[in-house]
Structures are given as structure tokens and as C-alpha cells.
Amino acid sequence: RIADPCVLVMFGITGDLARHKLLPAIYDLANRGLLSPSFSLVGVGRRSWSDDDLRAYVEKSAREGARTPWRPAIWEQLAAGMRFVEFASFEDDAAYDRLTAVVDDLDATRGTRGNRAFYLSIPPGWFPAVTERIARSGLVEESPEAWRRVVIEKPFGHDRASARELDELVGRIVRPDDVFRVDHYLGKETVQNILALRFANTMFEPLWNQRYVDHVQITMAEDIGIGTRAGYYDTIGSARDVIQNHLLQLLALTAMEEPTSMEAAAVRLEKEKVLNCVRLERDGVLDLDLTTARGRYDAGFQGGLPVRGYLEEDGVAADSRTETFAALRLEIANRRWAGVPFYLRAGKRLTRRVTEVAVVFKQPPFLPFESAATTAVGANTIVLRIQPDEGITLRLASKVPGTQMELRDVSMDFGYGATFNEESPEAYERLILDALLGDAPLFPHQREVDLSWRILDPVIEHWSAGGSPEGYRPGSWGPASAHELLARDGRTWRRS
Ligand code: BG6
């Protein structure tokens, strides 16, 4: 389906996210013929740019980041609908009048029919100022013929209370169904494939429960540090940055019940149900020192090169206690998952970049082999490889060829690259298109956001009452406490 003619107003267009992800994705969508020829883009920012300056900037970012080839005719058409509106600040009332005039003019001259999406890729602290002024400007006045939508980037608040406030603010300018919260993990093919694997096959679902599953490990490891993002990251930390959203979404998709259909409301309902059952208690006892771990990378070497410690990164407060690694042990209090721990970990400057969900099965109740035959046998595991090297691995025991009955673990692999000729769209391409189409399934609902904060609020509060995060070596798998978290249960993290 092709998106309706519309104007996309982007706040934060000069930021990193827009430059690296959003603008290349818009070009790719145009190139794939998924945007209407009248699609128009209005950039809002503090620079003194002309429309041509904006075009040059978007062109550079698209040429650097787009996945599809450069096609001058497509570019010309897209560039013709670009405008820049200079804002002295987000509180600059006159700028909202200019923005209104520009959007009205695009409606009149390019046939965008009053359809408007406001993409807020700005720090949440600015939301009150921006939403209030957008409302006052009349830009989002309800219209029977046209749609008005708001697309917001995480973080969706700082905690449960501020997430609710944020939602209330956005709710003042558009209806709840017209708010699209971006969690870009949901735009990834491999994340969408979790539901396909579970519910389009017969062989996994019967085993997907506490009778057969020993535990689940969800890992999001990055080898990079925080780069130039201290301004954002130092106030946020790992738990808020990626566990509140990406990892808890992965958990929900892995653990939820089968939805009645793939429609947004049906999938959301099941995700909410399972998030509601998540507990921090370990066998009924709440002791967050035993069920959480946090760390901060030290200076050291990575890939043979010296790297700075977190505290030495530009822009990080000298007394910062922000974590760059977080791990949680969660339980899900329902019939399917009672007694099965879900271990989540995320961190920067770890051994390598890998995101995966590993479902680790129990040992067979009985092994009719000599014990020497099974020393190289671990637990059956299904690994959903979210990225890189997207695919699924099944770990199972097999007889080693030879005259002895000797067993060893082997892998069965399905890889996207080797299997499909179709190219995966970049997550942002899919999400921008869906927001313009008004398709909600890949966007978390406010209830999910709220339930995720319900889980994290006590953890973050516990950490802020404690001292500094534990240091860990760049290129390692995180702090010792993360390993202790599993060792306490007699388990170890998988070597991804
Ligand atoms: C973002 C986080 O949501 O995800 C970043 O804010 C992180 O800190 C990024 O680096 C990772 O995304 P991806 O798609 O590369 O896994």
C-alpha cells in the first residue's frame, strides 16, 4: 500500500537519528514507490537554513545512508516538497505561525490534502512546549477529511509517572489512536518473526512452557561506547535506554499467548497480559541485589585499540552514576511460565554486537548413555538471532561419527541471508511507512509503556539509592555481578 498524500513535519531533523536513519528511510520509501508523489517534508530546526540548505542536507544523508540506488528523478520529486522552518527555540510562537503557513501552502500547492504527521525526535523535556504550541497553532485541528498523527521517539518518559504525563500531553493534540510510539526493534524483521515462528508452526509451541523450558536469556550487546551521545545517555542509562523498550518487547513477544489475530489490538492485549505478570521477585522474595546487576565500562582496549572509560567520555558528568550495562532476572507469574527465569542483559562496549533471544530447554529426564558419552552435551536451545547474522539456530545433541556412542552438541541453522532473496527493509522504513498508513501493530501502546515502567521503576529507584555501578572491562561480557546473577541459580550466560 502507498501512503496517502501528506506533510511530514519533523522536529529534530538536524539530530543524529534523522540524519542516519529517518532521512535515508524516507528516500528509500520514495524510491520503492511507497510514498505519494505529493509527499512533503518540513524540517524544523534552529539553524538559519533555506529550503535548499535542507535539501542539500537530506541529499547528503540519503546518499550516505540509503539502501536503494540513487535515482535523480525520484530525488527531484522528493526534494521539490521539502521546506525548512527556522525556530529560534521550540518556544518561538511566531515560528509556529510560519510553520502553519508553510504546511497550508503545501496542502494548496502539492495536494497533500491536510494530512499531517508530526515526528517528534526531540528530548522529552521539550514535549510540553511543542505540543502546547502545535495545539494552539491549529495545525492539528480535527478535520473530517484529513488525518493528524504524532510520531514520538523514545524515551517515553523517565519513569512511570512522567510517561503518563507525556501521554497526557500528546493526548491533548491527537486522539490515542493517532499516536505512534517508535520502538525500532518492532520494525526489525527478526523481531516480527518471533510471532511467525511461534504461531505459524506446530513444533515449537507445545514445548514453549515451564514443563520443557529451563530459562530464557535475552541479550542485547553492543561493542560501541556511547560515542557523542553523552547528553542523552548520561541522564538515561542502559535500563531506560533499551530494557524499558526493546528488551521488554522481546520478552513480551517471546512469552505472550497466541493472539486471536495479528491486528494491533489483539497482539497488544496479549503483550499487556504477559507484561502484567512480570515479577522482580525471586521465588517470591524481593531482593533487588539478587535479581539485578549494573555496570559501567572502564578504560581499556577493544579490538586492540585503547578506549576511554565511561567517565572519561566527553560530556559525561564527573560524578555520574549512570549504568552502561544492566541485567535483570525476571519471573512471569502465570501458568505457562511459573518457575522459568527470564534473564535480560544489555550493555555497551561488550565483546561484540549481538542481539538474541535464547530459549534454553530442560535436560531430558533420563539419558540412556554412559556418562562419558554426554560430557560435550549441553541443553537444547533455540536461539532467535535478532542481529547481526539474522536467523534461528537450534542446538541439539548428535552422535559423533565413529564406532563409539559419543555425543556432541551440533547446530541447525536458518539464516535470512542464505534463505531469502528478498531484502529486509530497514526498521525505520517500515515504521515510517506504517505511521503514514495509520497501521498500528508495530507500535507499542501506552499501556505497554506503562507496564514496562512498572517493572523498571523499583529497579532504578533501588540503583539510585546505591553507589556507583560496578566497573567492567571493555570487550568483556559485563560486570562480575551479571555472572553472579545466573550463578546464583546454577546457570551461566550463553557465549553468544
Ligand atoms: C537505540 C539506543 O534505541 O538502539 C541506542 O538508544 C542503541 O543506545 C541502539 O545503540 C541500537 O540499535 P540497533 O538497531 O543497532 O540494535
Side-chain angles (χ1 to χ4, degrees):
R1 281 203 294 145
I2 298 176
D4 295 337
C6 65
V7 180
L8 176 64
V9 179
M10 196 176 282
F11 285 76
I13 199 164
T14 54
D16 274 359
L17 181 73
R19 185 152 54 93
H20 295 307
K21 300 282 184 188
L22 307 180
L23 299 172
I26 288 172
Y27 171 79
D28 284 330
L29 286 172
N31 213 353
R32 294 186 208 273
L34 295 169
L35 299 181
S36 128
S38 22
F39 172 84
S40 303
L41 175 70
V42 179
V44 164
R46 258 179 297 198
R47 309 205 184 165
S48 294
W49 277 359
S50 65
D51 294 343
D52 278 339
D53 291 331
L54 174 71
R55 292 182 185 118
Y57 167 79
V58 180
E59 176 173 351
K60 184 163 183 291
S61 112
R63 280 185 188 264
E64 281 168 7
R67 297 187 156 202
T68 55
W70 190 253
R71 288 170 51 203
I74 296 287
W75 169 251
E76 292 304 323
Q77 189 174 47
L78 194 60
M82 288 182 196
R83 305 283 185 277
F84 188 75
V85 179
E86 185 183 337
F87 271 51
S89 83
F90 291 132
E91 290 164 328
D92 174 1
D93 291 320
Y96 290 83
D97 295 338
R98 291 199 299 276
L99 175 63
T100 312
V102 165
V103 172
D104 286 344
D105 178 61
L106 287 169
D107 281 344
T109 55
R110 290 192 43 100
T112 37
R113 303 190 199 154
N115 295 324
R116 292 163 194 175
F118 296 85
Y119 202 119
L120 306 186
S121 175
I122 53 174
W126 285 111
F127 273 62
V130 171
T131 48
E132 189 187 312
R133 287 172 178 79
I134 289 181
R136 251 194 271 146
S137 68
L139 279 161
V140 283
E141 231 159 58
E142 281 213 37
S143 141
E145 298 95 45
W147 48 257
R148 275 79 211 265
R149 298 187 188 131
V150 171
V151 185
I152 47 178
E153 277 291 337
K154 70 177 186 61
F156 313 121
H158 213 63
D159 53 18
R160 198 175 197 189
S162 55
R164 288 180 175 176
E165 275 165 31
L166 182 77
D167 186 56
E168 207 258 321
L169 275 172
V170 179
R172 281 192 213 158
I173 57 171
V174 289
R175 290 171 304 161
D177 287 352
D178 291 321
V179 182
F180 293 79
R181 295 171 195 79
V182 176
D183 179 328
H184 78 283
Y185 264 58
L186 298 184
K188 293 184 192 272
E189 286 291 331
T190 42
V191 174
Q192 294 163 40
N193 195 37
I194 298 176
L195 295 190
L197 174 91
R198 293 190 53 202
F199 302 126
N201 294 297
T202 312
M203 51 197 283
F204 302 114
E205 209 44 29
L207 306 180
W208 214 260
N209 56 54
Q210 48 77 28
R211 279 188 70 181
Y212 298 101
V213 175
D214 181 74
H215 71 280
V216 176
Q217 299 187 9
I218 303 181
T219 297
M220 176 183 173
E222 294 181 278
D223 52 2
I224 52 170
I226 57 152
T228 54
R229 296 169 73 221
Y232 160 80
Y233 199 89
D234 202 35
T235 58
I236 299 266
S238 185
R240 289 190 175 104
D241 185 36
V242 297
I243 295 191
Q244 184 272 328
N245 36 74
H246 310 329
L247 268 68
L248 285 174
Q249 284 289 329
L250 289 176
L251 174 142
L253 293 168
T254 305
M256 67 188 241
E257 296 301 315
E258 182 172 294
T260 51
S261 75
M262 283 296 141
E263 280 180 14
V267 174
R268 178 198 301 160
L269 180 71
E270 297 306 334
K271 284 200 276 176
E272 285 172 17
K273 270 165 46 185
V274 77
L275 287 170
N276 226 332
C277 297
V278 172
R279 303 279 180 271
L280 287 160
E281 287 86 349
R282 184 168 176 266
D283 304 327
V285 180
L286 181 66
D287 182 343
L288 295 175
D289 284 328
L290 300 184
T291 53
T292 71
R294 67 188 170 128
R296 174 170 74 197
Y297 59 82
D298 292 327
F301 287 85
Q302 194 156 27
L305 297 174
V307 293
R308 286 193 240 180
Y310 180 74
L311 287 181
E312 290 90 57
E313 299 277 19
D314 293 333
V316 169
D319 58 352
S320 167
R321 294 198 309 187
T322 302
E323 81 284 356
T324 60
F325 177 100
L328 302 182
R329 178 196 189 278
L330 300 172
E331 291 183 2
I332 300 180
N334 64 18
R335 176 176 286 248
R336 186 192 280 262
W337 295 116
V340 179
F342 279 66
Y343 302 101
L344 276 50
R345 62 174 166 171
K348 305 263 184 206
R349 284 244 179 275
L350 299 182
T351 316
R352 63 189 188 86
R353 176 174 183 253
V354 59
T355 300
E356 61 171 42
V357 177
V359 179
V360 182
F361 289 86
K362 293 185 174 168
Q363 295 293 345
F366 174 71
L367 285 171
F369 306 97
E370 285 176 22
S371 55
T374 58
T375 47
V377 175
N380 286 164
T381 306
I382 296 180
V383 187
L384 312 177
R385 305 197 312 267
I386 306 297
Q387 68 185 27
D389 188 22
E390 291 78 2
I392 296 172
T393 302
L394 217 59
R395 295 282 292 164
L396 33 98
S398 171
K399 179 180 176 307
V400 179
T403 52
Q404 306 287 317
M405 179 52 90
E406 186 197 338
L407 304 177
R408 193 183 297 160
D409 273 349
V410 296
S411 290
M412 271 170 71
D413 266 342
F414 146 63
Y416 275 68
T419 309
F420 294 118
N421 293 324
E422 292 83 352
E423 196 203 347
S424 299
E426 164 63 35
Y428 272 104
E429 249 185 84
R430 175 71 200 267
L431 295 177
I432 293 172
L433 179 65
D434 279 11
L436 299 181
L437 289 170
D439 281 351
L442 300 183
F443 297 90
H445 186 264
Q446 170 61 20
R447 280 283 298 158
E448 294 165 58
V449 171
D450 193 68
L451 290 167
S452 306
W453 284 120
R454 176 190 71 81
I455 301 166
L456 278 191
D457 273 4
V459 175
I460 293 173
E461 207 175 295
H462 175 73
W463 287 347
S464 40
S468 292
E470 183 188 348
Y472 63 89
R473 196 169 47 77
S476 70
W477 280 111
S481 52
H483 299 283
E484 286 153 19
L485 188 77
L486 267 72
R488 230 167 260 133
D489 295 344
R491 301 188 175 99
T492 52
W493 289 104
R494 263 175 47 76
R495 294 205 150 267
S496 305

